[in-house]
């Protein structure tokens, strides 16, 4: 297996008749999935999603794939193929279309409906081509066949891309539930047929490659929900991902079976489920859905509230309910169900929500104490099936952190794929498929692009480092006006500190030394305010370090007057 | 069950012959465990630990119990009983002894050795009384009997406290491994005897009350470690808690069995294991321990490095090894074992370490893919045994977040303890044991006390809120000197922003408006710099919000000259 982090240089020109693959996101993280295929000078983009920030990226709203590699080649893009409607696959589409609005979007009906709703908020009206499983479309030089896959959102597709250089099969996100609620299984017949014909490069979801065995079937959730509903005497609140149509379907069915009504809470939940029911993916039992006003008039034992916030997002309905800071209140005897996985990194936030709800008297049912959620990604056992059915000539694990990619690569090798045919790459690494063999040939710059407020890509690691320092240590600003004539301090020094000291009085002790040092420096011929600022920084820094054992950011501002 | 968060007022005076219990930490969080018992005007403290901060407490080093409740009563304290040597039970002792140095410390040999080593760093030489299981000591008005319990550190004790008001049994941290490595089981015979005599208040560890069943035996770890050692061809690095003597013992034994030498890495690891082996708790096989210099001379397949950092602590050895920033380097074929639980909240940090090590080519074995660690806290099944053997008259769940305390309370009720005899309390809630009945009678103020650098208790929620704003939004400071005569701007405005903008040039557009507004305000009779600062704050705030969609901290400093 080629090492994920070799010392790579810019790749050579792509040889005639060869295929190039570059991931601009999703390799080395779970999110911002985006792959760019190149053949005969033309580009095909597969997915264009966002990544949500971690705690070492404070204040960041979203993280985008790095479009730099294609910025000068936007006109070469034949289309963006979207495998399914999750944010980590469609969330960055608006930012790419801002660069070129008429790139065609290709995907299933539900996927396009979700992305169009999102684009409307950005005032973009895209060109789209809706496709179904089994359908084949010629997108410029790329012949794309779409294959049904089963995932935690309906209408997900894998895509087989045929070019003169060979056939690439990209799974998108998928699992292999053999008894899915909608009966739409991952089409292993198609996988077999493609395998027979020959898959030259298999790009495969790695998210659960470390997890042994098989994902529990969605059908096993229903009875569990049913049991929870059965012994709930008062109100039931269910939190889930706003796009999980099947989970919402199960809640609607359980509510219907127990004579309860459901109100959807939260903008994204309402928007997505309205789309899903209009398109027939969500089947709403007779008048089980009511609005919030209506539900407030119902007795507790007829109420179900379906909301977002299962990851502890502080602004989401559930967190505010847990903080008693929402018009929906929770009390003794109420039941709250977190029908979702706990995404690593969200534990503190989620446990704060669970503790808050428990403190208010609610019973909280979650993946830690009941089987109310199953993953949407194939576990190791399912991936082995894929490899054996496809017998791919080359494998490229996608969608995951390094540990996931490496685990997936090991599975491929176990099924007999030669280790030197399994390409381990991270974002920006360039893979060329030449004469049926995939190799790492170089790398292009590929960084994190931060969306922060209205700024896109302006926040860099420098600002994030400043934020971490400010966030952990606070800052001290020192302001003084010195006479340009004789260097005497005319005003100040004023010291303002935030984030670490009770009050600024603590600094009075240092004032005389500061004034002295400034005037000495001036007399000593410190020719500009910059030098004076260095003096101040040194004195205050040393004092704070010795006296308070702290390393705050120090901002001296010396003005000459 | 009394609600954990009623509207509580200060408690009435403690009636003659009654016993009062107040937890100053550990109820509502996992850490900073401290309970204060009061009888006949005298106090007994059980444990005095620290809590480690979460990501919403940036820059905080440690969190202490709130000593305010006992600050004026230090001379009433008969002793501090320490149940075992973990930081969350002994870490705050130095801060309490700073208030009164001669409070006697009572605990087992190993516990006292760990706390004395810690106190030495604070230059405190404590009064101590070493006790063993089965021993009874009269500590003033409190008759204390010490009972062996099994935990993830040797020599842990529960304590039964007899007073005229009744008997309290406090488990400390414990589990009930029936085949522990050192053969020292939790003494259920003593529990039975105490139960026969009558336990009026049972204070019991709740950490794993949500976890069904029983904790896997420590003995099952050995074979797993053995298997990992067996198929490791190159170096082995094991990370674990620095106090987990038994885990280190297992690593030493496995190393010995496979002809490898072990070097201990990290100050706390070396210090604790030196103490443990000197006292005979750690049995070091003949010359299996070597120092780092020696081990670097050995061939890879004879090397084991035992280090800290299993929680992804950025400064610990393992994180630095994973970042290639440590003299110990890891490469292809090396094996890293994280022999510890993953404490909620540390996931991001730990996965960053695992990804880093994987990227360097190492095989990483952790609780997610192998049974290399078991918890030190009794699961639900074990707690049921305790309740049934003790048949306590009143129960007070301790050590846990609200969800853990509530789960533990439910277990007590299941075994037949009347619900109104199970008191759910959080930090500062006052429980009185009167005529054999425990009731919540009020609450005393009990906040978080933050240690930050050399400051103790100076950081408040205000500073933490400032840090969160600074960390997420950054700040803008605006300096200007205005003439006290005519309000003309003599110097500045200078704008300095950190944490969000590429450079300060972005602010040039706002300067004219600022100057104008300042001079208008002055002409308009703005009588002091405070009013001028408000003007600046308003203008800059509105501009940043509209232009950048950000809400940074704004610090205007206007000086009159």
């Amino acid at each position: 297996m080629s090492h994920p982090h070799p010392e790579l240089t810019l790749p050579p020109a792509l040889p005639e008749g060869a295929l190039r693959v570059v991931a601009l996101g999703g390799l080395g993280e779970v999110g911002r999935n985006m792959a760019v295929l190149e053949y005969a000078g033309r580009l095909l983009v597969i997915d264009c999603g966002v990544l949500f920030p971690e705690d070492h990226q404070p204040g960041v709203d979203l993280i985008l794939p790095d479009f730099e590699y294609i910025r000068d080649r936007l006109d070469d893009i034949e289309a963006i193929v979207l495998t399914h409607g999750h944010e980590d696959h469609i969330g960055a589409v608006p930012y790419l279309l801002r660069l070129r609005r008429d790139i065609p979007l290709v995907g299933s009906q539900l996927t396009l409906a979700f992305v169009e709703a999102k684009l409307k908020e950005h005032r973009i009206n895209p060109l789209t081509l809706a496709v179904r499983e089994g359908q084949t479309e010629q997108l410029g030089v790329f012949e794309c066949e779409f294959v049904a896959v089963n995932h935690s959102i309906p209408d997900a597709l894998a895509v087989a891309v045929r070019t003169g250089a060979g056939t690439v099969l990209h799974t998108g996100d998928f699992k292999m539930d053999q008894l899915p609620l909608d009966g739409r299984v991952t089409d292993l017949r198609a996988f077999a047929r493609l395998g027979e014909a020959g898959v030259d490069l298999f790009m495969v979801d790695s998210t659960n490659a470390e997890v042994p065995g098989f994902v529990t079937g969605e059908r096993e959730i229903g009875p569990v929900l049913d049991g929870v509903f059965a012994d709930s005497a008062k109100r039931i609140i269910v939190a889930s991902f706003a796009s999980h149509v099947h989970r919402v379907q199960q809640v609607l069915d359980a509510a219907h079976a127990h004579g309860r009504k459901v109100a959807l809470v939260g903008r994204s939940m309402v928007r997505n489920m309205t789309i899903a029911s209009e398109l027939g993916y969500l089947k709403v039992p007779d008048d089980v859905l009511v609005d919030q006003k209506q539900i407030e008039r119902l007795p507790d034992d007829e109420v179900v509230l379906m909301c977002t916030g299962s990851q502890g997002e502080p602004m989401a309905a559930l967190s505010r309910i847990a903080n008693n800071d929402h018009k929906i209140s929770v009390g003794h005897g109420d039941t709250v169900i977190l029908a979702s996985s706990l995404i690593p990194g969200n534990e503190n936030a989620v446990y704060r929500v669970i503790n808050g709800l428990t403190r208010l008297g609610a019973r909280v049912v979650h993946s830690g104490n009941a089987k109310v959620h199953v993953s949407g990604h194939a576990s190791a056992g399912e991936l082995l099936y894929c490899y054996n059915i496809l017998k791919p000539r080359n494998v490229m694990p996608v969608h995951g952190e390094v540990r996931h990619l490496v685990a997936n690569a090991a599975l491929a090798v176990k099924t007999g794929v030669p280790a030197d045919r399994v390409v381990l790459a991270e974002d920006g690494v360039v893979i060329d498929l030449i004469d049926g063999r995939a190799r790492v040939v170089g790398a292009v710059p590929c960084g994190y692009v931060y969306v922060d407020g209205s700024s896109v890509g302006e926040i860099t690691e420098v600002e994030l480092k400043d934020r971490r320092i400010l966030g952990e240590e606070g800052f001290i600003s020192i302001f003084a006006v010195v006479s340009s004539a004789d260097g005497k301090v005319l005003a100040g020094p004023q010291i303002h500190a935030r984030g670490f000291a009770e009050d600024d009085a603590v600094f009075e002790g240092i004032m005389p030394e500061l004034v002295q040092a400034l005037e000495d420096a001036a007399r000593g011929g410190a020719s500009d305010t910059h030098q004076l600022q260095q003096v101040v920084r040194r004195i205050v820094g040393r004092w704070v370090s010795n006296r308070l054992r702290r390393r705050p950011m120090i901002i001296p501002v010396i003005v000459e007057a």
Side-chain angles (χ1 to χ4, degrees), chain A:
Chain A
M1 288 177 277
S2 59
H3 199 283
H5 250 246
E7 285 324 302
L8 294 174
T9 54
L10 285 176
L14 180 60
E16 180 105 19
L19 176 79
R20 174 162 289 180
V21 179
V22 183
L24 302 183
L27 269 55
E29 64 255 331
V30 175
R32 67 165 198 164
N33 298 292
M34 180 172 180
V36 179
L37 276 56
E38 176 173 4
Y39 179 72
R42 305 295 292 169
L43 304 178
L44 182 73
V45 174
I46 300 177
D47 288 329
C48 188
V50 292
L51 171 67
F52 296 99
E54 290 183 4
D55 47 16
H56 64 289
Q57 295 154 326
V60 172
D61 302 324
L62 294 172
I63 304 172
L64 305 181
D66 188 344
F67 299 146
E68 208 44 48
Y69 171 64
I70 53 172
R71 193 174 293 278
D72 302 331
R73 302 191 54 188
L74 295 168
D75 294 333
D76 299 336
I77 301 175
E78 304 280 11
I80 304 171
V81 171
L82 300 170
T83 59
H84 63 283
H86 280 151
E87 284 301 306
D88 55 332
H89 292 257
I90 67 171
V93 168
Y95 300 91
L96 182 52
L97 290 195
R98 277 190 200 172
L99 304 180
R100 183 189 145 200
R101 291 193 162 228
D102 63 354
I103 306 175
L105 305 182
V106 181
S108 65
Q109 185 186 38
L110 185 67
T111 305
L112 291 178
F114 278 9
V115 75
E116 284 173 306
K118 169 180 301 296
L119 285 164
K120 188 172 282 161
E121 294 168 4
H122 290 257
R123 296 195 189 67
I124 297 177
N125 183 11
L127 290 177
T128 62
L129 170 64
V131 293
R132 307 190 76 270
E133 48 264 40
Q135 189 171 338
T136 298
E137 291 290 336
Q138 191 71 39
L139 304 172
V141 300
F142 303 95
E143 183 189 292
C144 296
E145 175 182 344
F146 299 92
V147 179
V149 291
N150 168 246
H151 186 41
S152 48
I153 186 170
D155 228 6
L157 294 170
V159 58
V161 182
R162 296 193 187 86
T163 70
T167 298
V168 177
L169 176 61
H170 191 301
T171 62
D173 284 350
F174 82 115
K175 63 175 171 177
M176 305 215 296
D177 189 342
Q178 293 304 297
L179 297 168
L181 293 171
D182 60 4
R184 186 174 178 274
V185 294
T186 293
D187 187 353
L188 293 182
R189 277 191 177 188
F191 277 31
R193 179 172 41 78
L194 290 162
E196 299 274 358
V199 169
D200 298 286
L201 181 62
F202 184 39
M203 300 173 71
V204 52
D205 180 10
S206 309
T207 311
N208 273 350
E210 278 187 320
V211 181
F214 298 77
V215 178
T216 307
E218 290 281 342
R219 281 182 198 278
E220 299 189 24
I221 305 297
V224 179
L225 281 177
D226 215 63
V228 175
F229 272 62
D231 60 13
S232 294
K234 301 179 84 177
R235 294 188 311 167
I236 298 174
I237 299 178
V238 186
S240 155
F241 296 113
S243 62
H244 205 317
V245 176
H246 290 151
R247 189 75 65 249
V248 174
Q249 182 73 60
Q250 289 169 310
V251 171
L252 295 182
D253 296 345
H256 188 58
H258 292 86
R260 290 173 177 259
K261 303 291 186 194
V262 180
L264 302 175
V265 181
R267 206 177 107 276
S268 55
M269 178 67 75
V270 172
R271 187 192 70 189
N272 291 347
M273 293 309 138
T274 307
I275 291 171
S277 59
E278 282 168 3
L279 298 178
Y281 294 94
L282 182 70
K283 307 201 167 27
V284 182
D286 310 349
D287 57 61
V288 72
L289 267 186
V290 300
D291 65 28
Q292 275 194 61
K293 279 184 195 49
Q294 295 168 289
I295 208 143
E296 278 156 25
R297 291 193 221 95
L298 294 174
D300 284 353
D301 62 356
E302 293 177 20
V303 169
V304 177
L305 296 154
M306 182 83 227
C307 65
T308 55
S310 62
Q311 296 305 310
E313 306 91 323
M315 286 305 107
L318 194 64
S319 294
R320 288 168 44 221
I321 293 171
N323 294 336
N324 232 333
D325 162 34
H326 194 285
K327 61 176 177 300
I328 297 169
S329 69
V330 155
H332 263 284
D334 290 339
T335 301
V336 179
I337 305 171
L338 301 183
S340 63
S341 57
L342 208 178
I343 295 173
N346 298 343
E347 287 79 4
N348 283 346
V350 170
Y351 289 131
R352 273 196 289 276
V353 167
I354 293 175
N355 284 320
L357 294 165
T358 307
R359 185 178 283 117
L360 294 169
R363 169 177 67 138
V364 185
V365 180
H366 53 88
S367 54
N369 57 25
K371 199 91 189 128
V372 288
H373 182 72
V374 295
S375 171
H377 300 272
S379 292
E382 294 154 72
L383 292 168
L384 292 173
Y385 272 81
C386 284
Y387 288 123
N388 286 326
I389 287 176
L390 279 166
K391 298 200 187 339
R393 299 194 178 117
N394 300 275
V395 172
M396 177 180 176
V398 296
H399 303 172
E401 302 169 13
V402 172
R403 61 195 176 105
H404 303 125
L405 304 176
V406 169
N408 201 359
L411 293 173
V413 172
K414 278 196 186 132
T415 63
V417 180
D420 64 353
R421 295 300 190 99
V422 179
V423 208
L424 276 171
E426 288 186 81
D427 298 338
V429 172
V430 179
I431 288 99
D432 284 356
L433 180 66
I434 304 175
D435 304 329
R437 186 180 185 98
R439 282 197 188 78
V440 172
V441 298
V444 297
C446 187
Y448 284 126
V449 177
Y450 299 109
V451 176
D452 192 349
S454 64
S455 83
V456 178
E458 285 170 33
I459 296 292
T460 67
E461 298 305 328
V462 177
E463 282 74 32
L464 290 183
K465 182 153 181 292
D466 280 353
R467 287 183 186 179
R468 287 192 291 266
I469 295 170
L470 286 167
E472 297 195 350
E473 301 284 330
F475 74 93
I476 307 179
S477 62
I478 307 94
F479 174 64
V481 183
V482 299
S483 156
S484 49
D486 58 6
K488 279 245 169 294
V489 175
L490 303 177
Q494 282 196 13
I495 298 190
H496 298 265
R498 294 301 284 272
F500 74 97
E502 280 285 14
D503 62 20
D504 300 349
V506 66
F507 297 106
E508 268 152 29
I510 196 179
M511 290 298 184
E513 184 186 358
L514 262 182
V515 174
Q516 193 56 53
L518 279 170
E519 302 193 342
D520 291 353
R523 256 196 309 286
S527 58
D528 60 14
T529 56
H530 178 70
Q531 287 171 294
L532 295 176
Q533 288 169 356
Q534 289 309 323
V535 170
V536 171
R537 178 174 283 114
R538 199 166 53 245
I539 290 174
V540 175
R542 196 191 316 121
W543 184 84
V544 175
S545 165
N546 296 340
R547 169 78 183 279
L548 304 174
R549 298 257 169 279
R550 309 275 307 144
R551 300 233 173 290
M553 188 178 286
I554 298 174
I555 320 243
V557 178
I558 309 300
V559 179
E560 286 189 315

